[in-house]
Amino acid sequence: MTFPQSVAKLIEAGFDGYLVDLRRAARTYYLPDGEALDLPMGAATAKVAAGFDSDSVTAAIREAQALAPGYTYKGFCAKVAAAGCAGYLVSFSGRRALYFGRTGETHIEHFPSAQF
């Protein structure tokens, strides 16, 4: 399932966003009324690097958007973790994802307008 397809399904189910914590290998899905659903992602695929490399995070995002040959979500998580991404917050109403490092560095990725 592509990112746009998964977002559409989550919105359809009533969620307004989610948080991926790569250090804990966990996802939290949020409903507008404040309820949340925590789900494990399985074993962490890579340790989160100490430094945040925004260019490498962006490159991993572009591979995912292009559905590059061999792309997998597990591989994406490993690449962004190796680039120092500790997690990311997705806001459906804000139409963006905020990727963050261990010391608070960020990269904001706006949803491509054609996808939603």
Side-chain angles (χ1 to χ4, degrees):
M1 184 178 308
T2 66
F3 178 74
Q5 290 169 330
S6 66
V7 167
K9 294 259 185 215
L10 289 167
I11 291 171
E12 192 176 293
F15 292 95
D16 68 359
Y18 62 96
L19 172 71
V20 173
D21 184 337
L22 294 171
R23 291 177 287 190
R24 288 186 33 229
R27 289 189 203 123
T28 304
Y29 296 89
Y30 299 101
L31 292 164
D33 66 2
E35 286 190 58
L37 173 64
D38 290 313
L39 297 173
M41 294 171 55
T45 57
K47 290 199 176 248
V48 174
F52 186 78
D53 181 349
S54 182
D55 290 339
S56 293
V57 170
T58 301
I61 294 166
R62 296 296 173 261
E63 284 182 10
Q65 289 171 336
L67 296 176
Y71 167 81
T72 64
Y73 180 67
K74 185 176 181 178
F76 169 80
C77 290
K79 285 180 183 181
V80 296
C85 179
Y88 58 95
L89 176 69
V90 176
S91 169
F92 301 147
S93 61
R95 300 180 51 80
R96 70 192 74 201
L98 176 101
Y99 295 80
F100 54 89
R102 291 168 49 183
T103 59
E105 305 94 337
T106 61
H107 167 76
I108 298 172
E109 186 70 26
H110 295 271
F111 294 175
S113 59
Q115 292 185 344
F116 303 98

